[in-house]
Amino acid sequence: MISFTGRRMLYVTAAAIAVTPTSALAQSAAAPSTANEGLGDIIVTAQKREQSLKDVGMTITAQSGEQLQALGVTNIQTLTKAVPGLTIAADREGLPTFSIRGIGFIAAQLSAAPTVSVYVDEAPLPYPALTGGVALDLERVEVLKGPQGTLFGNNSTGGSINFIAAKPTNVLSAGVRSSIDRFGQFNIEGFASGPVTDTLNVRIAGSTTQGGDWQRTYTPGPKLKTGGADRYALRVLADWRPSDSAKFLLHLSHYADKSDPQALQLSLAAPSGGPGSAYVDPVYGSVETYPLPPHDNRAADITQNPARKFTKDDEQYQASLRGDFDLSDNITLTSITNYAHLRFYVNRDADATRIDMIQGSHLGTIETYGQELRLTGDFDNLNVIVGANASKDKIHEEEPYFYPHFSILPPNMTTNPVSDFTSKTIAVFANAEWKVSNQFTLTGGARYTRVRQSFSNCFEDPGDGSTQAFVGGLANLFRSLGGLPPTNAYSGVLCNTIGPAPDFLPVTYSDKSTDHNVSWRIGSNFKINSDLMIYGLISRGYKAGGYPFVVAITQDQLNKVRQEKITAYEAGLKFSRGRTLSISTAGFYYDYVDKQTYALVAIPLLGPNSVLRNIPKSKAYGWEAELTVSPTSGLTLHGALTYTKTKIVDPGPLLLDGFGRPIDYRGNGFAYAPKFSAIFDTEYRLPVGTGLEAVLGMSGVHNSKSTGSIDQTAPFFIKAFTTVDMRVGLESEKGWSATAWIRNLTNTYCWTDANFIGDGYARTAGLPRNFGLTLAYRF
């Protein structure tokens, strides 16, 4: 494979633009948006064909690439600025977790099947860790809310996000965009697009982000900074149309990230060994007396001289090929072949202090293959899609943690669970939309899915015998309670998970399983007139069963959980008036069976330990509304509000809270499910000269309080927050623009998640007030 660096990425971006002939580019310069443009009709592909957003009977948020840039959406984590009801949190290793309307799955593992599926041009990225470079050079993004199992398959019970890349053009064009902020972080992004032959158009886009250490230590001692970026992305699209009845789109992308992992903020000391068990550092004392950070997003303490450098080192490749073949005037055959590979690595300070207690690494690979074939029939009043797809995922995962001074382990011990996971999925599906009359439309669809999984887990000894001695001692204790003599079976073995009673001998956990399900959807749309549509929708979706990735002292911690099932009911309306007004609103209710969650259970002699469990019955319900209005020439107002109530109805077997106490979770809500979330954006465009336009904008996000766990004790609380951004700029019809911006104008102190980290609790803070300048030129 070719190895890139951030500097080489700059050369690639610059070269892509430089090779385009200047004379041709000048003829295709882009003019700024006109002040009286108003609201245009938004075309989406939510049902795998082009439709007007106002004609699709489901809740969809669609934002153009230009709107995303204006809002400061530079990666998938910042997509929450554009989508109400969407939350994106990070686990303790920085892996993203997506929730829509409260439906999410919180798991610190590469092999965790999500509840929100992600696609780039309909090519799947089936695991959240694969989504690092999706925001490069976009035409638009579509966020579909509610179960999408019929057309998008398993693991879309909360919804689906489809990133649509900007496509090759049949005229030469190019552009470059660069930004710098108050912390010295520099970003440059560019593209070049145009014809190579009469039938082949190509687009090349690249970006790099460098520097910007924005976090800093807050306790006495050497001043340490972290948070700097070192990442880049490259995408090549080739659109080949050899005939009027056939077209192909080849997508090649590469993404790499060697940035600093974001440092955590300590929120509460809670030594796992109980009060007084924590290590006492000669300089900084115990975690129990360690000062908590000030109310400052930038404050974060880290160990000065870690055993391994705190860094990320991710590298990902994706290749997809789409072919569309017109078999007749009404029938099209579509083939989508997809491959993605990720090499993942992160090493970070896991205790959020200068005390050297826990250093955590997570590494592994994801390799996924997929193939979809479908036929689309578009007849006078009937659209039909039938198809099949198959995929295979292979994931290797390790989590070597070094414990210099963890309260419940011997000093300098290392643990390393190692797992291999394989998932093979096949599915067949059908979807139909029948226009019964000019006003009334019926929709329906179903998908049969079979998933075969295999999983193995080994609790490895690092080679110094420390894991063998520790686990072997526990096993012998279990044996003595059963009247058995000690065993030396743990000496010299690689895998040290304690097997079942009565022998408690070491095992390598291995299991295979097969799941089947049928997702379905039925709905109706009724157009009262050309401006107003009401709709109703009932759908069912599934999230695949799975295995936990944990430090498994006993094999009982590795049991598989059942697949989730959601039955969703939604009703809503959509209203639009010309190019001046657009309103949509919907109410929803979810009946949730076998929700998967990590929880604590009591293991004899070991106390609380993490396992993956099913919550037998829970529910979610709420409503949302979105408004876009252009009341006068040049002014656009946009706002959206989501209300969500989540509730566990039947929690199942006894679970523990974060302090090891038995607790009844009945009535608790879901993690990362704020009751209220809202976004707004206001933009005013004013001509200020010949071919010159001033742009003023303000946007913001509000989330009410939420929690980082179904254990809704205080350490997991995430307080409510509101952030406001502002921008002001000039755009010229000659293709250039300059924008000054401020993000988090009021420097609101907030955080995006809350986690237990071994000897305490920690949070990931939001970004502080930031300001900068963006310059762009489009040829």
Side-chain angles (χ1 to χ4, degrees):
M1 294 182 179
I2 299 173
S3 175
F4 286 85
T5 64
R7 180 176 295 177
R8 287 178 182 173
M9 189 64 243
L10 284 172
Y11 296 159
V12 169
T13 304
I17 298 167
V19 297
T20 313
T22 304
S23 59
L25 293 174
Q27 297 172 11
S28 58
S33 301
T34 57
N36 60 359
E37 191 175 75
L39 309 180
D41 192 19
I42 300 173
I43 303 300
V44 297
T45 54
Q47 299 188 106
K48 298 199 172 183
R49 63 190 181 97
E50 291 189 348
Q51 293 175 280
S52 172
L53 176 62
K54 63 184 180 181
D55 293 333
V56 182
M58 72 174 74
T59 303
I60 303 171
T61 295
Q63 297 275 13
S64 69
E66 290 79 8
Q67 290 170 321
L68 295 173
Q69 288 177 347
L71 294 173
V73 177
T74 56
N75 52 51
I76 197 167
Q77 285 80 8
T78 52
L79 187 59
T80 54
K81 292 184 175 186
V83 184
L86 170 68
T87 61
I88 300 178
D91 64 30
R92 62 178 182 267
E93 268 97 32
L95 290 169
T97 297
F98 312 127
S99 298
I100 294 179
R101 293 173 171 172
I103 308 302
F105 178 54
I106 316 303
Q109 65 185 83
L110 296 177
S111 57
T115 60
V116 178
S117 59
V118 178
Y119 294 77
V120 176
D121 289 337
E122 297 186 20
L125 296 170
Y127 299 93
L130 293 168
T131 60
V134 293
L136 173 67
D137 192 33
L138 294 177
E139 176 185 313
R140 68 181 185 279
V141 64
E142 300 172 6
V143 180
L144 287 58
K145 300 182 180 181
Q148 304 297 324
T150 54
L151 288 176
F152 292 93
N154 260 11
N155 310 323
S156 56
T157 46
S160 185
I161 304 173
N162 193 19
F163 291 88
I164 292 90
K167 298 301 184 292
T169 54
N170 57 12
V171 295
L172 289 170
S173 62
V176 63
R177 179 184 179 91
S178 63
S179 300
I180 190 167
D181 70 11
R182 63 175 286 204
F183 303 112
Q185 185 173 104
F186 175 75
N187 167 267
I188 184 168
E189 177 177 332
F191 80 92
S193 177
V196 177
T197 70
D198 291 342
T199 60
L200 177 63
N201 300 326
V202 174
R203 187 181 185 103
I204 301 174
S207 72
T208 186
T209 304
Q210 300 293 319
D213 286 332
W214 62 276
Q215 291 186 285
R216 57 192 178 187
T217 51
Y218 62 92
T219 54
K223 296 299 181 183
L224 306 177
K225 293 184 178 181
T226 188
D230 181 9
R231 57 181 177 266
Y232 52 89
L234 176 68
R235 177 183 291 147
V236 178
L237 294 178
D239 183 355
W240 182 43
R241 306 195 178 204
S243 69
D244 292 339
S245 60
K247 60 182 179 181
F248 298 88
L249 180 67
L250 175 66
H251 173 130
L252 302 173
S253 66
H254 178 224
Y255 172 76
D257 188 354
K258 297 185 178 182
S259 306
D260 297 334
Q262 184 171 343
L264 305 174
Q265 289 190 343
L266 183 69
S267 60
L268 178 68
S272 293
S277 65
Y279 168 71
V280 179
D281 183 86
V283 177
Y284 297 105
S286 164
V287 67
E288 294 180 86
T289 59
Y290 199 85
L292 298 181
H295 286 196
D296 182 353
N297 291 327
R298 300 185 65 185
D301 275 3
I302 56 175
T303 300
Q304 183 176 356
N305 296 305
R308 292 183 297 273
K309 181 182 178 182
F310 296 142
T311 187
K312 293 172 63 68
D313 190 3
D314 301 345
E315 188 165 26
Q316 178 178 328
Y317 296 86
Q318 184 184 12
S320 66
L321 176 64
R322 173 172 177 152
D324 292 286
F325 310 92
D326 293 334
L327 305 183
S328 70
D329 291 341
N330 308 106
I331 300 175
T332 300
L333 171 66
T334 298
S335 169
I336 300 176
T337 306
N338 182 59
Y339 170 79
H341 182 277
L342 168 69
R343 176 181 54 85
F344 175 86
Y345 174 82
V346 63
N347 184 57
R348 67 188 304 169
D349 192 315
D351 56 54
T353 72
R354 289 182 185 261
I355 306 170
D356 197 7
M357 294 186 293
I358 307 174
Q359 299 175 26
S361 297
H362 197 166
L363 59 103
T365 58
I366 299 176
E367 192 168 34
T368 178
Y369 310 82
Q371 174 65 53
E372 178 171 311
L373 288 171
R374 67 175 187 256
L375 286 169
T376 302
D378 197 356
F379 307 101
D380 290 340
N381 295 312
L382 179 67
N383 179 274
V384 179
I385 300 174
V386 294
N389 58 22
S391 63
K392 180 180 180 180
D393 308 326
K394 296 173 60 178
I395 301 175
H396 175 79
E397 193 163 7
E398 301 183 30
E399 195 174 42
Y401 262 51
F402 177 51
Y403 302 91
H405 299 292
F406 183 31
S407 64
I408 60 173
L409 294 178
N412 296 318
M413 183 173 171
T414 297
T415 62
N416 186 24
V418 178
S419 79
D420 286 284
F421 173 79
T422 300
S423 177
K424 299 178 181 179
T425 303
I426 61 171
V428 292
F429 60 92
N431 191 81
E433 186 171 86
W434 178 31
K435 190 174 182 180
V436 181
S437 68
N438 289 333
Q439 292 180 294
F440 188 56
T441 301
L442 292 174
T443 62
R447 174 186 292 253
Y448 166 77
T449 303
R450 187 195 71 190
V451 183
R452 289 181 173 173
Q453 297 178 339
S454 64
F455 176 76
S456 65
N457 183 280
C458 174
F459 184 19
E460 284 193 356
D461 186 275
D464 60 5
S466 59
T467 300
Q468 296 167 352
F470 178 73
V471 179
L474 288 173
N476 281 329
L477 180 57
F478 292 157
R479 289 172 62 87
S480 68
L481 294 175
L484 296 177
T487 177
N488 63 357
Y490 288 84
S491 300
V493 300
L494 177 65
C495 299
N496 295 273
T497 300
I498 298 175
D503 298 324
F504 301 105
L505 296 178
V507 298
T508 299
Y509 185 88
S510 182
D511 191 37
K512 294 182 178 180
S513 62
T514 301
D515 288 331
H516 306 262
N517 65 66
V518 177
S519 300
W520 50 264
R521 176 174 64 182
I522 56 174
S524 62
N525 306 335
F526 184 72
K527 282 205 164 186
I528 297 176
N529 54 48
S530 60
D531 295 332
L532 177 61
M533 182 185 78
I534 59 175
Y535 68 89
L537 186 65
I538 305 175
S539 56
R540 174 169 292 174
Y542 290 84
K543 177 185 179 300
Y547 297 88
F549 179 69
V550 294
V551 177
I553 304 296
T554 72
Q555 73 165 22
D556 291 339
Q557 292 176 255
L558 296 171
N559 293 332
K560 181 186 176 181
V561 290
R562 297 181 298 275
Q563 57 186 345
E564 296 181 352
K565 179 176 72 174
I566 284 184
T567 306
Y569 307 85
E570 179 174 327
L573 66 83
K574 296 185 177 184
F575 175 80
S576 61
R577 178 60 58 85
R579 305 178 69 87
T580 61
L581 178 64
S582 173
I583 300 172
S584 64
T585 185
F588 58 89
Y589 178 90
Y590 295 163
D591 184 13
Y592 206 167
V593 176
D594 284 334
K595 173 179 170 58
Q596 299 168 11
T597 185
Y598 273 93
L600 296 176
V601 299
I603 295 180
L605 303 180
L606 291 178
N609 272 261
S610 180
V611 296
L612 190 55
R613 280 287 179 88
N614 288 110
I615 299 295
K617 187 171 178 57
S618 49
K619 62 183 179 181
Y621 57 89
W623 54 265
E624 55 187 270
E626 186 167 7
L627 167 69
T628 305
V629 60
S630 181
T632 188
S633 178
L635 178 62
T636 303
L637 309 173
H638 176 248
L641 173 67
T642 298
Y643 168 80
T644 303
K645 174 68 174 178
T646 61
K647 185 177 182 180
I648 294 174
V649 178
D650 176 9
L654 180 67
L655 299 173
L656 306 178
D657 68 9
F659 298 96
R661 301 170 299 200
I663 188 172
D664 184 355
Y665 285 89
R666 187 177 287 106
N668 283 14
F670 303 162
Y672 304 111
K675 284 188 178 180
F676 290 96
S677 64
I679 62 167
F680 76 89
D681 181 48
T682 300
E683 184 174 274
Y684 183 56
R685 292 177 171 269
L686 177 68
V688 292
T690 303
L692 196 62
E693 196 171 62
V695 182
L696 304 175
M698 176 183 289
S699 60
V701 177
H702 170 77
N703 275 356
S704 63
K705 66 179 181 180
S706 60
T707 178
S709 169
I710 62 168
D711 173 4
Q712 296 187 347
T713 50
F716 288 110
F717 286 169
I718 301 172
K719 69 174 184 176
F721 68 89
T722 302
T723 59
V724 176
D725 301 344
M726 295 189 69
R727 60 190 184 272
V728 57
L730 287 175
E731 294 185 3
S732 169
E733 67 178 9
K734 296 180 179 180
W736 63 263
S737 66
T739 305
W741 44 264
I742 301 177
R743 292 169 188 153
N744 193 0
L745 174 66
T746 58
N747 201 27
T748 299
Y749 176 56
C750 59
W751 48 84
T752 59
D753 63 65
N755 290 291
F756 179 65
I757 54 171
D759 273 350
Y761 294 82
R763 298 167 176 146
T764 302
L767 295 176
R769 179 191 294 120
N770 195 6
F771 52 84
L773 178 67
T774 297
L775 302 176
Y777 187 61
R778 187 178 178 96
F779 302 86

